[in-house]
Amino acid sequence: MEFDPVLLARIQFAFTISFHIIFPAFTIGLSAFVTVLLLLWLKTGEEKFHRLARFWTKIFAVSFAMGVVSGIVLSYQFGTNWSRFSEFSGNVIGPLIGYEVLTAFYLEATFLGIMLFGWNRVPPWLLTLASGLVAFGTATSAFWILSANSWMQTPAGYEIRDGIAFPLDWLAIIFNPSFPLRLAHMLTAAYLTTAVVVLAVGARYVLARQYTEEARTMLRMAVGMIAVTAPLQLVIGDLHGLNTLHHQPMKVAAMEGNWNTATSGHFVIFGIPSQSAEKNYLELAIPYAGSLVLTHTWDGKYPGLTDVPPENRPPVANVFFAFRIMVGIGLLLIATGLFGALLWWRGKLFTTRWYLTGTSYMWPLGFIAILAGWFVTEQGRQPWLVYGLLKTADGISPVPGASVFGTLILFIFVYGAVFSTGVYYINRLIAKGPKGSLAAAPAGLPNRPISAAEPAAREATGKDPGKSIKPKKGGR
């Protein structure tokens, strides 16, 4: 049995980062949501905001822990499976990752303890400040990670010496051509995803007639956020598409399923792209709409996949369908936000059962849209690892395919266990709800960042994780 090391290394990285990306995206939005709740509590003194902030902080703790665990593996893969890529681009990518550690990670590590364990131990203003700084730290982390990824999409500010990239202009590297729009697109997606989860949980409580006061607050805040950010995301996505058309035309051609360069091109609503036949089967398209969307003119010209040799084309079907999943969910969320705002304005937001029932099942949509968008971004860049400079096949380590396959199987088991455990804890916390008032400070202070999830796990299960390791009376 032969193992393709390039394909397996790509599958392994795609698998691990797909698990990882949903947790940072959720914690970016959740930390900001908790900060807003604490600010409202400081301003109004209403305890419902405190209960909600504490409730969502527990879910944040579990999500943050899973994000840390699932993210550790990613950095190691640069050395294990992608050593030639690291050698080529380490002078550029390495410092960007280092800046992320020096700024965002230190900021989060400093104030995360106060945010998670400062309840009843520090003044409310300090708790709120710490939560705000953690929210700022998570967004700062996204800044550096997306800068590094954007440089791989649109490299700038470098020179190649002896086959290795050397930095020339750090401002040009950090603020490379696709970075600002990519950062805005990702941060908006994170806040939108969190709002959809809050909406689903709030709708679930209203339908069950539980925690009514808190649930209505969640519904109002979530609907307001979705009504604003979902249409905004459409505008940012359009600008990002124009930027991609300029810098990575083959990615856009794959997104649109466009095989031949055209003026007055059509927009393919549905089709089944065939890479071998170089055409779409069962195509349903709108004339002229392709040029209008991509160039904002009726007769605008945009490139086709046949402009480049077959070996330089991305996997068209994957990019084509992932793009439609992302856009379809985005349009659904726009309708959800605007219709929810209309119901709110008419005073029927909490009594329209079909709307509440539908939204109570929508919590995964934001995560699915993020994954679909990430597949479009990364697979649309193929066959390039660093666009125009280094092909994926030239960036892997000289390791046997069987070794990559073995570690891939190991990761599937480990990540499956981590993800299942995290989802179990979060579901238990949601089932318990935002009840109670100001909680008493738990006994003992944790001394490890990952232990932040332990109080949440203890409340979710009703068990004390440390109880089983206590020595028996009189025992050693």
Side-chain angles (χ1 to χ4, degrees):
M1 184 175 181
E2 293 188 2
F3 297 96
D4 183 349
V6 178
L7 178 61
L8 288 169
R10 287 182 59 194
I11 292 174
Q12 187 179 113
F13 196 83
F15 175 79
T16 51
I17 201 169
S18 294
F19 266 91
H20 174 68
I21 191 173
I22 60 177
F23 298 119
F26 190 38
T27 53
I28 288 171
L30 210 49
S31 56
F33 180 54
V34 169
T35 302
V36 172
L37 289 170
L38 288 173
L39 286 171
L40 290 172
W41 175 48
L42 283 180
K43 181 179 179 180
T44 66
E46 295 184 36
E47 196 171 332
K48 68 177 181 181
F49 294 120
H50 179 275
R51 285 196 296 269
L52 280 173
R54 187 164 177 82
F55 167 69
W56 284 105
T57 298
K58 296 168 190 170
I59 296 175
F60 170 85
V62 177
S63 303
F64 188 86
M66 289 194 293
V68 171
V69 172
S70 60
I72 291 174
V73 175
L74 293 174
S75 57
Y76 286 113
Q77 286 186 56
F78 288 119
T80 55
N81 293 348
W82 302 99
S83 62
R84 287 170 175 160
F85 161 73
S86 300
E87 182 180 8
F88 171 80
S89 62
N91 292 328
V92 176
I93 299 295
L96 294 179
I97 303 299
Y99 298 152
E100 191 249 346
V101 174
L102 288 173
T103 55
F105 188 75
Y106 282 175
L107 191 63
E108 291 171 322
T110 301
F111 293 98
L112 184 65
I114 299 175
M115 177 185 177
L116 298 180
F117 308 111
W119 305 82
N120 294 339
R121 291 195 177 100
V122 300
W125 67 265
L126 180 55
L127 179 68
T128 306
L129 177 64
S131 300
L133 290 172
V134 170
F136 179 71
T138 56
T140 304
S141 179
F143 176 96
W144 292 113
I145 296 298
L146 286 171
S147 178
N149 180 266
S150 297
W151 186 85
M152 294 167 63
Q153 307 279 346
T154 52
Y158 68 93
E159 69 173 4
I160 303 297
R161 285 186 243 151
D162 299 325
I164 295 175
F166 284 85
L168 289 180
D169 183 346
W170 277 108
L171 286 179
I173 290 172
I174 295 169
F175 298 98
N176 59 78
S178 66
F179 167 66
L181 289 168
R182 196 182 304 279
L183 176 65
H185 202 42
M186 185 66 209
L187 288 180
T188 305
Y191 298 133
L192 185 56
T193 296
T194 303
V196 173
V197 174
V198 173
L199 175 67
V201 175
R204 176 177 164 180
Y205 288 151
V206 170
L207 288 171
R209 297 181 181 179
Q210 293 178 314
Y211 319 112
T212 305
E213 189 179 7
E214 291 82 1
R216 292 187 173 190
T217 299
M218 283 192 278
L219 279 179
R220 291 191 196 98
M221 294 179 70
V223 165
M225 190 69 178
I226 296 170
V228 172
T229 54
L232 177 64
Q233 184 71 313
L234 181 65
V235 175
I236 296 173
D238 179 62
L239 296 174
H240 189 24
L242 296 179
N243 179 277
T244 305
L245 177 65
H246 180 71
H247 294 284
Q248 296 176 297
M250 289 304 104
K251 180 187 290 186
V252 173
M255 291 160 57
E256 301 298 335
N258 187 46
W259 295 95
N260 301 300
T261 297
T263 55
S264 304
H266 54 261
F267 178 77
V268 179
I269 298 175
F270 180 78
I272 302 177
S274 171
Q275 200 118 7
S276 58
E278 297 184 345
K279 67 177 184 179
N280 302 324
Y281 293 106
L282 302 175
E283 182 177 288
L284 176 63
I286 303 175
Y288 301 102
S291 291
L292 183 62
V293 171
L294 290 171
T295 67
H296 292 185
T297 61
W298 286 105
D299 56 353
K301 178 181 177 181
Y302 67 98
L305 289 157
T306 53
D307 288 359
V308 300
E311 63 270 19
N312 286 341
R313 300 171 192 169
V316 181
N318 297 0
V319 177
F320 179 85
F321 287 115
F323 177 68
R324 272 145 190 80
I325 291 171
M326 178 185 68
V327 172
I329 292 175
L331 294 176
L332 177 60
L333 294 183
I334 290 174
T336 301
L338 295 181
F339 196 78
L342 177 63
L343 291 175
W344 186 4
W345 179 62
R346 297 181 63 183
K348 297 182 177 179
L349 179 60
F350 311 124
T351 57
T352 308
R353 290 190 65 83
W354 67 265
Y355 181 81
L356 295 172
T357 303
T359 53
S360 68
Y361 292 101
M362 290 179 67
W363 68 267
L365 291 185
F367 299 113
I368 296 172
I370 286 178
L371 290 174
W374 196 252
F375 292 157
V376 171
T377 297
E378 298 306 296
Q379 296 198 8
R381 186 183 54 201
Q382 298 300 320
W384 299 101
L385 194 51
V386 180
Y387 198 77
L389 298 178
L390 180 71
K391 287 195 171 182
T392 303
D394 299 324
I396 67 166
S397 304
V399 296
S403 299
V404 184
F405 179 76
T407 52
L408 173 61
I409 297 300
L410 178 64
F411 288 150
I412 290 175
F413 279 107
V414 172
Y415 275 61
V418 170
F419 187 78
S420 302
T421 304
V423 170
Y424 169 76
Y425 282 147
I426 289 176
N427 280 332
R428 289 295 300 267
L429 289 170
I430 291 175
K432 285 179 176 292
K435 57 187 177 182
S437 57
L438 297 178
L445 287 172
N447 55 10
R448 294 172 289 112
I450 202 68
S451 67
E454 289 182 359
R458 190 161 46 235
E459 179 157 340
T461 60
K463 299 177 181 178
D464 186 349
K467 188 175 182 180
S468 60
I469 60 174
K470 287 183 178 179
K472 294 181 180 179
K473 188 176 182 179
R476 294 179 181 276

